[in-house]
Amino acid sequence: MATDYQPPVADYAFLYRDAFGLDIVARATDGALTAGDATDVIEGAGEFAASVLAPLETVGDTVGAQLVDGQVHLPEGFADAYQAFIEAGWVSAEAPESAGGDGLPGSVRAGLGEIWNASNAAFALCWLLSAGQIHALDAAASDEIRETYLTKLVSGEWTGTMNLTEPQAGTDLGAIRTVATPRGDGTWSIKGQKIFITWGDHDIAENIVHLVLARTPGAPEGAKGLSLFVAPKYLVNGDGSLGDRNGVETVAIEHKLGIHGSPTCVLSYEDATGYLVGEVGGGLAGMFVMMNSARIGMGFQATGIAERALQQAAAYAASRMQGRVLERDASAPIAEHPDVRRLLLSMRSDVFAMRALGVYVGDLFDRAEATEDAATLAFAEFFVPILKGWATEDAIQLTSEAIQVHGGMGFIEETGAAQHYRDARIMTIYEGTTAIQSNDLIGRKVIRNQGDTAEALFAQTDATVADLRAVVGATQEVAARTADRLERAVASARRATADVLGFAGSLRDAHAVSVPYLMLLGTLAGGWMHGLAVVAVAKHEATSDEDAARLTLADFYGAHHLPRVHALAETVASGETA
C-alpha cells in the first residue's frame, strides 16, 4: 500500500531563504511575508494534504468517478475533503488579489501545487482548472461576470473547467465547430460537443462554471474566429441563487489509464446559455491565459507525483531485505545495493531540480508583474514550455524508476507504485503535448528573437559558474566539479541554439528536433538550479546533514543527468533525418 506522504518542508525553506541569494518571498511581497512565513504555509499545507487528501488517493484510483443517471459522483470522502479545502482557505489564498483572493506569491504557489499533487493528483486537478479560470476571468471578464462567477470561484463555492477539445479538433483549435449564436438579450445559445473536459461534472460543489471556446455566426475560419463564453452548469438568478439546469449534458466519462478520481467528461451543449467573455473573436487570447496557468501547473503536478513515487520507493528500499549487499553486513536492505542507490539518487536529484525551477519560475512571474519589465516577462514565459515539457517527461521516467526499485512488487497494483506511473503518463499530453511546448519554444521564444532569451539563460548560468569557482572551504571540490560540468553543458547548449537558428530557413529541421532541444534546456536549467544550491550551501557557516545531502545531489546530477545535454546537442544538430 502507498506510504504516508511527507511534505518537503526543509527543501522549500532552503529555496525561499537561501538558494537564490536572498529571501525571495520578502522581495515578492515587499516584506509583508518572509521565507519563514512561506515555510509555515508549506508546512500547514503539507499537514492538511497528508491527513485529508492523501488518504483518498487510493480510493480515487480504485473506485474512480462514476456516471449515474447523467450525474457524475465522486468516491466517498471527496466532497468532505473539498469542503475542508475551501474552509481552510486554500482556494482564496492562492487566487490573485485583483480577483479578490489573498494573492500568495508565485514561489509559494509552486510549493502548494507540488503538495496538492503529491498527496492526490486527481483531486488537485479540480483546483488547477479553477485556478486557471480565475486568472482568465480576472484578465478579461466584464464586471457583471466577475461579480456573478469570479467571486464564487475565488471563494471555492463553485469550480471551473476549460472547454476546448472536440472529437474532430484535438489540439487544432482552428477546427472547433461549437457554435454560439446571439439571442439578442445579451446571452448566447451554445451548441456543440466537447471532450476530455477535466472535472467537467461532479457532485462536490453546487455549481460548475464552464469556460467554452465557440465560433460565432459569420466569424472567419480558423482560430481567429473563436470567442470565449461562460456557461454554468446551473443558471444563476438575479439575486445570485441557482436556477434551472443549463443545456449542458454529461454524455459520458472517459475510462482512463490513470487519474481515475478526476472525472474527464464528454459534454454536450444544446441551446445552452452562455455569456461572452471579452470581445467577439478574442477567445483564443482569453483562453491562453488559462492555458498558460495550467501549463505551469503541470510542472508542479510533475514534481508532486514524482516526489510521491520517490518517497514510496525510498521507504520500500529501506525496509526490503533481499540478497547480500556488496561490502555491507547481512542486515543491509536493498537501498544499499549500488544500483538501487543510483536509482534513488537519480530520482532525488531530478525532483530537486524540478522543485527549484518551479519556485524560480513562479518568482519570475511575480517580478515581471511587479516591475512591468518586458525582458523579465519574456524570460518567465520562456520557461513555461520548458517547465511543462521537461518536468512531465522526466516524471514519467522517475515513476518508472520507482517501480524498478520495487522490483516485481512494483508491478503489483496493491503496492501503489503503479498508480503514480499511470497518473503521470497523461502529463506529457494534456495542456499541450511536449511537441506543442517545444514548437512554441523554438518558434516564438528562440527563432523569433534570434536566441536572445536563450542567451539570457546561458549568461545567468555562466554567472553561477563564476560563483562556483570562487567557492573555498569544505564545499570547494563539489563546487569545482559542478562548475566544470555546467560550463561544458552551457557550451553545448549554445551550439545547439546556433543549430536551431540555422534551421530557420528549413522549419521542418527545427521542428523535428524541437523536443530534444526542449529537453536539453530543461536538463541544463536543472543543473543551474543545483549550481545555485551549491553556492548557497557554501555560504553557510557549517555544513548540516541537509546541506551535505544537497551537495551529494548536485554532484550526482552533474555526473548522471547533465551529460545528456551533450548527447541532445548532437541530436539537435542532425535536424530531420530521412
Side-chain angles (χ1 to χ4, degrees):
M1 298 299 291
T3 57
D4 292 339
Y5 172 59
Q6 301 293 325
V9 177
D11 260 9
Y12 278 104
F14 173 75
L15 290 170
Y16 295 150
R17 182 188 63 239
D18 296 340
F20 303 104
L22 76 167
D23 183 332
I24 61 172
V25 178
R27 176 179 62 186
T29 63
D30 290 329
L33 294 175
T34 66
D37 297 323
T39 303
D40 289 342
V41 171
I42 293 298
E43 185 171 17
E47 292 171 355
F48 177 91
S51 61
V52 178
L53 304 184
L56 296 172
E57 184 184 40
T58 300
V59 70
D61 183 58
T62 55
V63 177
Q66 306 290 329
L67 178 62
V68 180
D69 297 329
Q71 171 66 49
V72 174
H73 299 278
L74 274 295
E76 185 177 354
F78 269 63
D80 289 342
Y82 183 74
Q83 289 304 309
F85 188 73
I86 62 175
E87 288 170 8
W90 294 117
V91 172
S92 58
E94 295 193 52
E97 290 183 348
S98 55
D102 297 329
L104 283 175
S107 58
V108 181
R109 296 199 305 274
L112 294 175
E114 177 189 335
I115 286 170
W116 307 142
N117 282 286
S119 58
N120 194 323
F123 180 96
L125 281 166
C126 178
W127 163 235
L128 186 147
L129 270 297
S130 294
Q133 189 175 127
I134 287 170
H135 284 283
L137 295 183
D138 188 36
S142 65
D143 289 343
E144 183 178 0
I145 289 177
R146 293 176 68 91
E147 178 63 28
T148 304
Y149 298 98
L150 185 57
T151 54
K152 293 289 189 179
L153 290 165
V154 171
S155 71
E157 294 171 77
W158 300 350
T159 66
T161 72
M162 176 167 54
N163 284 231
L164 290 81
T165 310
E166 298 179 8
Q168 81 291 339
T171 56
D172 180 10
L173 299 182
I176 283 176
R177 296 176 185 165
T178 296
V179 175
T181 305
R183 290 175 172 156
D185 61 355
T187 68
W188 297 71
S189 173
I190 301 176
K191 180 177 177 61
Q193 186 179 91
K194 299 289 186 177
I195 63 173
F196 300 155
I197 309 305
T198 300
W199 282 81
D201 193 19
H202 57 78
D203 57 353
I204 70 171
E206 64 179 9
N207 204 6
I208 303 170
V209 184
H210 302 297
L211 201 58
V212 185
L213 272 181
R215 195 172 300 284
T216 55
E221 294 297 319
K224 292 182 179 179
L226 298 174
S227 300
L228 193 59
F229 300 87
V230 158
K233 177 179 178 178
Y234 290 101
L235 297 172
V236 183
N237 297 321
D239 62 0
S241 62
L242 297 184
D244 295 335
R245 176 78 181 256
N246 202 0
V248 185
E249 178 186 358
T250 305
V251 177
I253 54 174
E254 306 291 357
H255 302 285
K256 308 187 297 294
L257 177 68
I259 52 171
H260 297 153
S262 170
T264 306
C265 301
V266 178
L267 299 181
S268 176
Y269 290 81
E270 293 291 341
D271 192 27
T273 297
Y275 304 88
L276 181 67
V277 177
E279 301 295 328
V280 172
L284 207 55
M287 188 61 90
F288 264 124
V289 175
M290 186 171 188
M291 291 172 65
N292 227 33
S293 173
R295 287 171 176 177
I296 295 169
M298 287 299 98
F300 307 153
Q301 185 179 70
T303 307
I305 295 178
E307 168 67 17
R308 189 70 183 280
L310 165 61
Q311 289 190 17
Q312 182 159 345
Y316 180 84
S319 61
R320 174 67 168 165
M321 308 294 294
Q322 183 175 329
R324 183 63 183 263
V325 179
L326 285 171
E327 300 178 9
R328 297 291 189 271
D329 62 35
S331 65
I334 66 168
E336 292 297 310
H337 281 297
D339 194 62
V340 173
R341 185 172 183 270
R342 176 189 67 83
L343 287 170
L344 293 173
L345 282 172
S346 178
M347 295 172 71
R348 286 192 177 102
S349 65
D350 214 7
V351 168
F352 177 84
M354 293 178 191
R355 179 176 296 136
L357 187 61
V359 167
Y360 180 75
V361 171
D363 182 60
L364 259 184
F365 273 102
D366 282 344
R367 280 187 274 156
E369 182 178 354
T371 62
E372 298 183 351
D373 178 63
T376 304
L377 179 60
F379 201 45
E381 291 180 339
F382 176 79
F383 279 107
V384 173
I386 295 172
L387 180 62
K388 197 281 183 184
W390 165 70
T392 59
E393 290 284 353
D394 270 18
I396 296 174
Q397 178 63 30
L398 296 186
T399 53
S400 178
E401 290 174 348
I403 292 174
Q404 193 74 13
V405 169
H406 284 76
M409 293 305 296
F411 206 66
I412 305 301
E413 287 286 357
E414 283 76 8
T415 64
Q419 180 184 345
H420 306 311
Y421 182 71
R422 289 187 286 101
D423 286 352
R425 189 59 190 87
I426 186 60
M427 294 188 301
T428 60
I429 300 173
Y430 61 11
E431 307 308 336
T433 64
T434 306
I436 288 174
Q437 308 305 317
S438 63
N439 289 341
D440 171 48
L441 174 67
I442 63 166
R444 295 185 179 92
K445 293 160 182 173
V446 175
I447 293 175
R448 182 174 291 180
N449 69 4
Q450 290 298 295
D452 287 350
T453 310
E455 179 55 36
L457 166 61
F458 306 150
Q460 292 207 32
T461 308
D462 285 341
T464 300
V465 169
D467 291 340
L468 287 163
R469 295 207 186 284
V471 168
V472 296
T475 61
Q476 185 173 3
E477 289 187 8
V478 173
R481 285 195 296 270
T482 303
D484 289 343
R485 291 161 175 164
L486 269 176
E487 187 172 55
R488 292 194 297 269
V490 170
S492 290
R494 281 194 168 102
R495 288 195 301 272
T497 302
D499 288 330
V500 167
L501 294 174
F503 293 143
S506 175
L507 289 180
R508 283 195 63 88
D509 279 322
H511 284 258
V513 294
S514 63
V515 169
Y517 181 71
L518 180 151
M519 296 302 292
L520 180 157
L521 291 184
T523 305
L524 175 66
W528 178 36
M529 294 296 106
H530 276 289
L532 291 169
V534 172
V535 172
V537 167
K539 293 178 180 178
H540 292 173
E541 291 184 5
T543 303
S544 67
D545 289 345
E546 289 174 345
D547 284 342
R550 292 186 181 104
L551 294 175
T552 297
L553 294 184
D555 213 17
F556 185 96
Y557 190 96
H560 290 255
H561 290 287
L562 205 54
R564 297 174 186 170
V565 170
H566 312 302
L568 289 165
E570 290 289 324
T571 301
V572 170
S574 71
E576 184 177 28
T577 55

